[in-house]
Amino acid sequence: MAANYWASSQKQHWLLDRWKLAISREQDLQHVSSESDYVKLKIWFCHLIQRLAKRLQLRQQVVATAFVYFKRFYANNSLRKTDPVLVLVTCVYLATKIEECPIHIKVVTQEAKHLFQPEFGGFPYDSSKVAEFEFYLLEELQFYLIVWHPYRPLLQICEELGMRESGIQYAWFIVNDSYRTDVCLLYPPHMIALAAIYMTVVLNHADFAPGSAGDRTDMRQWFADLNVDMESIVEIVQDILSIYEVWKDWKEDKMMLIWKELRS
């Protein structure tokens, strides 16, 4: 495992560009009414990962790793030609092992059978099928399994600024929401953390302790003085705001119709 993000497999092999992601979704977009419907499907599958993780009582970092595995898989595959339910269950199972909170494969598949009963009539695979698909998933991930997330840099920066708990919580929620977008495939984790802090400050949810660095500093100047590409931070913010625009019209009970349209 690399000691820092810059020497990691994530930086060397899994920092992608928008062109590659656009190519990966071309086929699926031909079979849905709009790009918005495609994005809603992606939100839905992330939602299913979150629901399965909740049943398994997994901590947020495990969920985030499962999100990243799912998105990496579909950077090279089509929703239409695969079974995303099998993919997401296997992503969750693999994430529990990599994040060192392993859950028996039979427990994962059993919970999936209960969870997916309303939408899919259950989970039509047994443990052996998930174990078999795990090897295929590992190949698609190129066996690079360590994921660096924005949570640690977010907490470090907020602590340095003296941001109070309410502001940290708001920025943390934004990071959680960012996994519904593709920013985890496009930008380093510290940039996503900075974008979440930027949104927290702009939306007036940042609250700094009296006398702290954040309290004494003009935050606009603080961001201007950072040795980072502010255009990238703005792009991340725009991606997150865009997903909120789609998300506000997202209704889970409509997703099966869109899914059937894609598969037909």
Side-chain angles (χ1 to χ4, degrees), residues 18 157 183 187-188 190-199 202 222-224 226-241:
R18 293 182 185 273
I157 296 168
V183 296
Y187 301 97
H190 75 279
M191 295 292 283
I192 301 171
L194 285 169
I197 293 170
Y198 180 85
M199 292 177 69
V202 169
W222 185 84
F223 276 103
L226 287 176
N227 187 26
V228 298
D229 181 6
M230 281 303 297
E231 287 187 8
S232 293
I233 290 181
V234 171
E235 288 172 1
I236 297 169
V237 170
Q238 289 174 337
D239 282 351
I240 296 172
L241 291 176

Side-chain angles (χ1 to χ4, degrees), residues 18-210:
R18 293 182 185 273
W19 178 83
K20 178 175 177 57
L21 295 182
I23 294 296
S24 71
R25 64 185 57 169
E26 273 185 347
Q27 187 181 68
D28 287 335
L29 287 173
Q30 294 173 6
H31 298 277
V32 291
S33 300
S34 66
E35 186 168 355
S36 176
D37 281 351
Y38 176 79
V39 174
K40 287 177 181 178
L41 278 176
K42 286 294 191 73
I43 292 174
W44 185 39
F45 291 121
C46 287
H47 182 64
L48 295 178
I49 289 174
Q50 190 84 54
R51 284 172 55 192
L52 178 58
K54 185 176 181 179
R55 286 187 71 102
L56 296 169
Q57 298 182 319
L58 302 178
R59 54 193 170 86
Q60 184 58 38
Q61 180 149 322
V62 184
V63 183
T65 296
F67 284 152
V68 173
Y69 289 166
F70 187 81
K71 289 185 173 294
R72 287 181 180 180
F73 181 87
Y74 282 107
N76 295 307
N77 293 277
S78 161
L79 286 172
R80 191 167 185 268
K81 290 192 172 182
T82 58
D83 186 348
V85 176
L86 175 59
V87 176
L88 73 85
V89 170
T90 310
C91 286
V92 170
Y93 173 60
L94 181 59
T96 64
K97 295 198 291 185
I98 298 304
E99 295 294 346
E100 299 183 350
C101 55
I103 296 177
H104 199 284
I105 192 170
K106 289 184 177 179
V107 175
V108 176
T109 54
Q110 194 61 40
E111 290 296 338
K113 288 181 187 296
H114 291 300
L115 178 63
F116 300 132
Q117 187 64 39
E119 295 95 343
F120 303 99
F123 180 63
Y125 306 102
D126 58 17
S127 301
S128 63
K129 186 64 178 178
V130 174
E132 178 187 339
F133 188 77
E134 182 184 9
F135 286 102
Y136 184 66
L137 176 62
L138 287 167
E139 288 183 357
E140 288 293 308
L141 299 176
Q142 303 171 39
F143 298 92
Y144 298 125
L145 304 177
I146 302 301
V147 179
W148 293 75
H149 295 289
Y151 298 113
R152 181 176 294 178
L154 175 73
L155 293 178
Q156 289 175 340
I157 296 168
C158 288
E159 183 177 348
E160 290 172 7
L161 289 171
M163 189 181 294
R164 286 176 165 161
E165 186 63 31
S166 59
I168 296 173
Q169 195 71 38
Y170 192 86
W172 185 282
F173 288 152
I174 292 174
V175 169
N176 289 347
D177 293 343
S178 76
Y179 287 99
R180 269 70 174 177
T181 74
D182 292 321
V183 296
C184 61
L185 301 178
L186 298 169
Y187 301 97
H190 75 279
M191 295 292 283
I192 301 171
L194 285 169
I197 293 170
Y198 180 85
M199 292 177 69
T200 303
V201 170
V202 169
L203 296 173
N204 294 318
H205 287 277
D207 183 19
F208 301 103

